[in-house]
């Protein structure tokens, strides 16, 4: 049996004092006895054996009642776990949830402060030679070593709110890395246990570790969050009209009315609005703005919602391009249609390569690559295009109908495109156009009843075995391919069944050709992320960068600078930041004095849902594992004394025994009084 200190000292003193008093009274009684022998003889003659027994029974009943009452407050227990060895030291891992939800308050202050207080009390139940790990959501390297009590308390005072959040299994696994070797191992998790902290699966635990969840109870709070934003166009031109979609979410059970919404870009106000959101629903609003100049833009969407404010703003960044680069790889008989088309608008910067002189290294610099009437497209070109497509590029293929079909099939197969079956020379006309496709969706204000569509004199028929990644944009009779989109890697290939020469048809001279190609160029390329989430996204993606000797990239912000690790993959540069970015805001990627990109970081919205797991739900996650769940309000006495070491508690038994002996004393007094003989 063990006793929870300092209750044991109190129990010892409480038992000793009444015993000393009774011994003192007994000595006085003995003295009187020997000094008055004759009187005692008379008393002894008049007192019955029943009276003696009464005094002894009352004395012992009263002493035992006091003893067990004090022991009940001292909380004796039988240690849990047969494997716990009193000869071994204890290794204790204490996780403090320092996510945004721990800023919530209850009657004792913020949850984070309450967690710290409980952690301080927990370690009091352990010995001077025991060692402790302090773990937070940051998973920092310094939290992977064991501390003594003084070091632990100092590190505990330094814990602050973090934008990072972790799930329960990650936390237990991290603790398990430290809780090893020959020692008694204890794991404590102090958290409010938001529902996002767990997955639907049962928790995996180590049978050598005694786990305890300490649930902190927060006051329920209503919350509205800026959930996400996205642009309706991947391309941004100077001075062009921009459309931004904002999604707001109401996590409370009451409707929110007239929530003010503000958009700023580069610290200039660009839009205002007011949104009403039904209870536990999401609402989208579209904001229009313009007047941007070329360069990187820093946008912020904000609302006003108290008291939960960490998710009231969402930062995003995007680049407005001064021009849009297009590459056209031309065959000998390709004509000048592509050149004439893009030369008409100064925003497009066209580069032309002859079929025999292609610069493969520059593919990543172009938003769109046009394959125009190649006679002998090689598989080497196909492999370079595939790398470009994996990086999110866009390719348009207009074939040379007089080329060798076998050569073209090798090229198409290397790109995972359908093979050519034969060349059709029967004149026909496009009979279907998908006006709801993003390419045409905003081109026509009114759809004509008898829309004139391109005519074709010659075209390739294709063997199409799988249409899962195919989107028909223009179709010939019988749903035959005329101009279709195929998803390849992270990019897109637009395949035409005919060329642009007049002998093949009138596609190049048809009115639909201009909006088709312009829209392809404007929607081409991989759309970069508007923002990243702290703690969960540690890899940034950007255009392919080539660094010279002694050149390094830097990621900088206010009072922050780091040199990230970079890797080249699939025609783009991956930037690894690990867990170096801790705060929300804008971070610039620089090379020497040039800004290559601006990245926006936001706190994850997983913390926005202020709903918590109940003790029953936590028990279901724990299953039948060696894991116990405590409520910091209901189990406060246990928690402040290292209750995780408790196996079977005995305080209830002590309380019952105390009541029994009190009742016995009362019955003895009443019983013997009724039968008392007067002297």
């Amino acid at each position: 049996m063990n006793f929870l200190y300092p209750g044991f000292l109190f129990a010892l003193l409480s038992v000793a004092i009444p015993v000393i008093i009774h011994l003192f009274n007994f000595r006085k009684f003995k003295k009187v006895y020997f000094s008055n022998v004759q009187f005692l003889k008379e008393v002894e003659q008049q007192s019955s054996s029943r009276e003696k027994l009464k005094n002894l029974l009352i004395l012992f009943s009263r002493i035992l009642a006091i003893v067990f009452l004090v022991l009940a407050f001292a909380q004796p227990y039988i240690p849990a776990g047969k494997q716990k060895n009193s000869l071994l030291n204890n290794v204790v891992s204490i996780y403090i949830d320092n996510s945004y939800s721990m800023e919530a308050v209850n009657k004792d202050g913020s949850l984070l402060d309450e967690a710290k207080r409980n952690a301080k009390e927990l370690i009091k139940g352990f010995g001077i030679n025991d060692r402790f790990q302090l773990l937070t959501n940051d998973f920092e390297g310094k939290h992977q070593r064991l501390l003594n009590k003084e070091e632990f308390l100092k590190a505990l005072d330094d814990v602050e709110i973090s934008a990072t959040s972790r799930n329960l299994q990650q936390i237990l696994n991290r603790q398990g890395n430290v809780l090893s070797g020959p020692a008694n191992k204890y794991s404590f998790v102090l958290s409010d246990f938001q529902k996002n902290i767990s997955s639907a699966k049962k928790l995996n635990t180590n049978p050598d570790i005694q786990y305890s969840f300490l649930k902190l109870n927060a006051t329920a709070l209503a919350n509205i969050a800026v959930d996400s934003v996205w642009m309706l166009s991947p391309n941004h031109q100077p001075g062009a009209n921009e459309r931004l979609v904002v999604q707001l979410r109401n996590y409370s059970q009451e409707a929110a009315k007239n929530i003010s919404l503000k958009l700023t870009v580069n610290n200039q106000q660009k839009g205002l609005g007011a949104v009403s959101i039904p209870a536990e629903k999401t609402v989208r609003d579209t904001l229009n703005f313009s007047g941007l100049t070329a360069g990187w833009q820093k946008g912020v969407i904000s609302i006003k919602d108290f008291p939960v404010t960490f998710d009231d703003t969402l930062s995003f960044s995007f680049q407005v391009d001064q021009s849009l680069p297009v590459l056209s790889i031309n065959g000998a008989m390709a004509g000048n249609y592509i050149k004439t088309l893009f030369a008409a608008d100064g925003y497009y910067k066209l580069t032309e390569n002859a079929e025999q002189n292609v610069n493969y290294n520059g593919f990543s610099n172009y938003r769109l690559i046009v394959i125009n009437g190649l006679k002998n497209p090689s598989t080497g070109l196909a492999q370079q295009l595939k790398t470009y497509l994996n990086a999110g590029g866009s390719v348009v293929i207009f074939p040379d109908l007089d080329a060798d079909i076998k050569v073209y099939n090798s090229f198409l197969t290397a790109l995972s495109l359908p093979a050519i079956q034969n060349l059709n020379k029967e004149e026909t006309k496009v009979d279907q156009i998908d006006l709801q496709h993003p390419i045409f969706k905003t081109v026509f204000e009114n759809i004509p009843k008898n829309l004139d569509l391109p005519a074709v004199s010659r075209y390739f028929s294709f063997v199409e075995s799988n249409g899962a990644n195919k989107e028909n944009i223009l179709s010939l009779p019988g749903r035959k391919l005329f101009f279709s989109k195929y998803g390849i890697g992270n990019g897109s290939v637009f395949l035409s069944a005919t060329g642009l020469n007049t002998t093949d048809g009138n596609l190049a001279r048809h009115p639909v050709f201009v909006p088709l190609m312009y829209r392809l160029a404007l929607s081409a390329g991989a759309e970069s992320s508007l923002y990243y989430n702290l703690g969960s996204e540690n890899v940034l993606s950007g255009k392919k960068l080539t660094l010279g000797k002694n050149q390094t990239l830097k990621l900088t912000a206010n009072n922050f600078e780091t040199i990230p690790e970079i890797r080249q993959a699939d025609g783009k540069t991956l930037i690894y930041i690990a867990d170096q970015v801790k705060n929300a805001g804008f971070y610039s990627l620089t090379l020497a004095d040039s800004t290559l990109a601006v990245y926006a970081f936001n706190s994850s919205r997983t913390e926005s849902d202020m709903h918590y797991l109940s003790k029953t739900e936590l028990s279901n996650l724990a299953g039948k594992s060696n894991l116990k769940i405590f409520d910091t309000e209901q189990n406060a006495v246990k928690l402040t004394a290292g209750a995780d070491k408790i196996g079977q508690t005995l305080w209830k038994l002590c309380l019952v025994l105390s009541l029994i002996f009190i009742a016995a004393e009362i019955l003895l007094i009443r019983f013997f009084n009724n039968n008392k003989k007067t002297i």
Side-chain angles (χ1 to χ4, degrees):
M1 183 184 297
N2 290 275
F3 298 89
L4 299 180
Y5 184 88
F8 175 68
L9 293 179
F10 175 70
L12 186 61
L13 292 173
S14 301
V15 172
I17 291 173
V19 171
I20 292 171
I21 293 173
H22 280 285
L23 289 175
F24 179 75
N25 291 336
F26 180 73
R27 291 182 64 187
K28 289 177 64 179
F29 174 77
K30 184 177 178 182
K31 183 177 180 181
V32 173
Y33 175 78
F34 285 108
S35 63
N36 300 280
V37 175
Q38 187 64 34
F39 174 77
L40 289 174
K41 287 182 179 180
E42 293 177 1
V43 172
E44 187 176 12
Q45 292 174 357
Q46 296 177 3
S47 300
S48 66
S49 60
R50 190 170 223 166
E51 186 72 14
K52 295 177 183 179
L53 181 61
K54 178 198 73 170
N55 291 331
L56 290 174
L57 289 176
I58 291 175
L59 174 62
F60 283 112
S61 296
R62 185 173 299 168
I63 292 174
L64 290 174
I66 295 173
V67 168
F68 283 112
L69 181 61
V70 173
L71 288 177
F73 284 99
Q75 296 191 84
Y77 65 93
I78 298 174
K82 298 180 180 179
Q83 298 179 354
K84 304 303 178 187
N85 190 337
S86 59
L87 299 178
L88 296 176
N89 290 333
N90 298 313
V91 178
V92 185
S93 176
I94 300 179
Y95 163 77
I96 302 294
D97 185 355
N98 61 333
S99 61
Y100 278 123
S101 65
M102 295 291 285
E103 289 183 310
V105 296
N106 58 19
K107 59 183 178 62
D108 297 318
S110 75
L111 295 189
L112 181 60
D113 289 339
E114 183 182 353
K116 289 182 180 181
R117 288 195 298 271
N118 279 285
K120 291 177 181 179
E121 294 297 330
L122 278 172
I123 67 170
K124 291 181 180 179
F126 293 92
I128 191 172
N129 294 321
D130 295 335
R131 290 295 176 263
F132 308 89
Q133 178 201 25
L134 174 62
L135 185 65
T136 68
N137 286 321
D138 297 312
F139 279 15
E140 293 180 295
K142 65 181 180 180
H143 293 159
Q144 283 300 100
R145 66 186 185 91
L146 296 176
L147 312 172
N148 59 34
K149 281 189 177 182
E150 291 183 3
E151 293 171 332
F152 179 89
L153 292 173
K154 183 178 180 181
L156 184 63
D157 290 335
D158 294 334
V159 174
E160 297 179 349
I161 292 294
S162 169
T164 307
S165 60
R166 308 286 180 180
N167 65 52
L168 274 176
Q169 194 59 63
Q170 288 176 316
I171 295 165
L172 299 187
N173 292 344
R174 192 80 169 188
Q175 289 182 319
N177 294 336
V178 168
L179 298 177
S180 60
N184 297 322
K185 308 173 188 70
Y186 299 95
S187 162
F188 293 89
V189 176
L190 284 76
S191 173
D192 56 1
F193 292 100
Q194 273 186 288
K195 289 191 174 182
N196 66 74
I197 201 174
S198 72
S199 60
K201 298 179 180 179
K202 297 283 186 182
L203 294 172
N204 295 322
T205 57
N206 187 333
D208 294 332
I209 301 174
Q210 178 62 57
Y211 298 91
S212 288
F213 287 172
L214 281 59
K215 188 178 187 310
L216 306 169
N217 298 306
T219 304
L221 296 174
N223 186 34
I224 299 168
V226 182
D227 186 74
S228 55
V229 300
W230 62 93
M231 308 288 287
L232 291 180
S233 173
N235 178 264
H236 312 286
Q237 302 180 40
N241 184 58
E242 302 285 351
R243 301 177 68 195
L244 177 75
V245 180
V246 182
Q247 180 167 290
L248 304 177
R249 184 166 183 177
N250 184 358
Y251 289 94
S252 66
Q253 297 180 351
E254 296 182 359
K257 297 182 179 180
N258 298 322
I259 301 298
S260 61
L261 178 67
K262 183 172 73 171
L263 166 66
T264 61
V265 179
N266 300 327
N267 296 321
Q268 295 182 357
Q269 183 174 301
K270 291 291 184 178
L272 286 173
V275 181
S276 296
I277 316 171
E280 299 182 331
K281 298 293 183 181
T282 59
V283 169
R284 296 175 181 175
D285 192 19
T286 302
L287 299 176
N288 296 299
F289 61 98
S290 60
L292 302 180
T293 58
W296 282 94
Q297 316 296 316
K298 300 177 181 179
V300 177
I301 286 287
S302 60
I303 61 173
K304 291 184 179 180
D305 172 50
F306 296 98
V308 182
T309 59
F310 75 89
D311 52 13
D312 288 355
T313 62
L314 192 147
S315 303
F316 61 97
S317 64
F318 61 97
Q319 186 177 23
V320 174
D321 297 313
Q322 186 65 47
S323 61
L324 192 153
V326 178
L327 173 64
S328 179
I329 303 175
N330 303 318
M333 305 299 293
N336 295 322
Y337 299 105
I338 298 298
K339 180 178 181 180
T340 303
L341 172 71
F342 288 114
D345 190 332
Y347 176 66
Y348 301 95
K349 298 300 180 183
L350 178 66
T351 301
E352 294 186 286
N353 284 175
E355 182 176 358
Q356 298 81 13
N357 188 23
V358 180
N359 180 15
Y360 294 145
N361 293 329
F363 280 7
S364 60
N365 297 325
Y366 299 99
R367 292 282 297 273
L368 177 68
I369 296 178
V370 181
I371 306 299
N372 184 18
L374 300 190
K375 197 76 172 179
N376 295 295
S378 65
T379 54
L381 172 61
Q383 292 303 321
Q384 295 296 326
L385 289 175
K386 202 159 191 178
T387 300
Y388 170 76
L389 290 166
N390 286 334
S394 295
V395 176
V396 183
I397 300 176
F398 294 107
D400 183 340
L401 300 186
D402 295 320
D404 188 336
I405 290 179
K406 290 184 179 180
V407 174
Y408 251 95
N409 279 341
S410 297
F411 173 73
L412 295 174
T413 302
L415 287 173
S416 303
L417 294 172
I420 300 170
Q421 185 177 38
N422 55 53
L423 175 64
N424 286 299
K425 298 182 180 180
E426 180 182 356
E427 292 188 5
T428 185
K429 196 171 186 179
V430 174
D431 72 340
Q432 289 186 4
I433 180 171
D434 185 4
L435 296 177
Q436 297 303 312
H437 193 277
I439 296 297
F440 291 122
K441 196 168 185 179
T442 59
V443 171
F444 301 98
E445 294 184 0
N446 298 310
I447 301 175
K449 293 182 178 179
N450 298 317
L451 184 64
D452 179 40
L453 296 173
V456 58
S457 302
R458 300 188 305 164
Y459 63 94
F460 281 140
S461 293
F462 295 87
V463 181
E464 300 187 68
S465 57
N466 183 11
N469 64 338
K470 174 188 176 185
E471 298 175 20
N472 284 323
I473 300 174
L474 296 167
S475 302
L476 295 171
R479 300 288 295 172
K480 290 183 180 180
L481 183 155
F482 181 75
F483 195 88
S484 297
K485 176 184 176 181
Y486 292 86
I488 306 296
N490 296 314
S492 302
V493 175
F494 297 87
L495 178 61
S496 173
T498 186
L500 298 179
N501 291 324
T502 56
T503 56
D504 301 331
N506 69 345
L507 176 61
R509 304 186 309 277
H510 195 277
V512 80
F513 181 66
V514 174
L516 173 66
M517 292 304 296
Y518 278 168
R519 292 288 297 174
L520 283 179
L522 291 174
S523 62
E527 186 174 3
S528 59
S529 297
L530 290 178
Y531 57 89
Y532 296 85
N533 290 321
L534 291 170
S536 59
E537 296 178 277
N538 295 322
V539 181
L540 311 179
S541 180
K543 295 179 180 179
K544 185 176 181 179
L545 301 174
T546 303
L547 300 180
K549 291 183 179 180
N550 301 323
Q551 285 187 320
T552 56
L553 295 176
K554 292 183 180 180
L555 193 67
T556 62
N558 293 333
N559 301 319
F560 174 86
E561 181 178 301
T562 186
I563 299 176
E565 177 187 357
I566 63 170
R567 300 177 189 174
Q568 306 293 343
D570 294 329
K572 56 186 176 182
T573 299
L574 301 180
I575 302 160
Y576 291 81
I577 59 172
D579 58 352
Q580 298 175 83
V581 177
K582 303 290 186 182
N583 300 315
F586 297 102
Y587 292 78
S588 299
L589 183 69
T590 61
L591 177 62
D593 295 330
S594 301
T595 299
L596 304 180
V598 175
Y599 299 101
F601 284 87
N602 293 288
S603 304
S604 174
R605 267 40 185 173
T606 57
E607 290 287 315
S608 298
D609 188 354
M610 295 297 177
H611 291 87
Y612 307 93
L613 293 171
S614 65
K615 290 186 69 175
T616 301
E617 290 171 320
L618 285 173
S619 298
N620 292 336
L621 285 174
K624 297 182 179 179
S625 64
N626 50 329
L627 193 157
K628 294 178 292 189
I629 300 164
F630 298 100
D631 189 300
T632 54
E633 292 182 355
Q634 298 177 5
N635 305 95
V637 176
K638 287 183 183 180
L639 296 179
T640 56
D644 188 62
K645 295 183 288 185
I646 295 175
Q648 181 179 356
T649 57
L650 303 176
W651 67 271
K652 292 182 180 179
L653 177 62
C654 292
L655 183 60
V656 171
L657 290 174
S658 178
L659 294 174
I660 290 174
F661 285 111
I662 290 174
E665 180 183 353
I666 294 172
L667 292 174
L668 285 169
I669 293 173
R670 292 190 63 184
F671 174 77
F672 281 107
N673 282 344
N674 291 336
N675 296 277
K676 183 178 180 181
K677 294 180 181 180
T678 58
I679 298 176

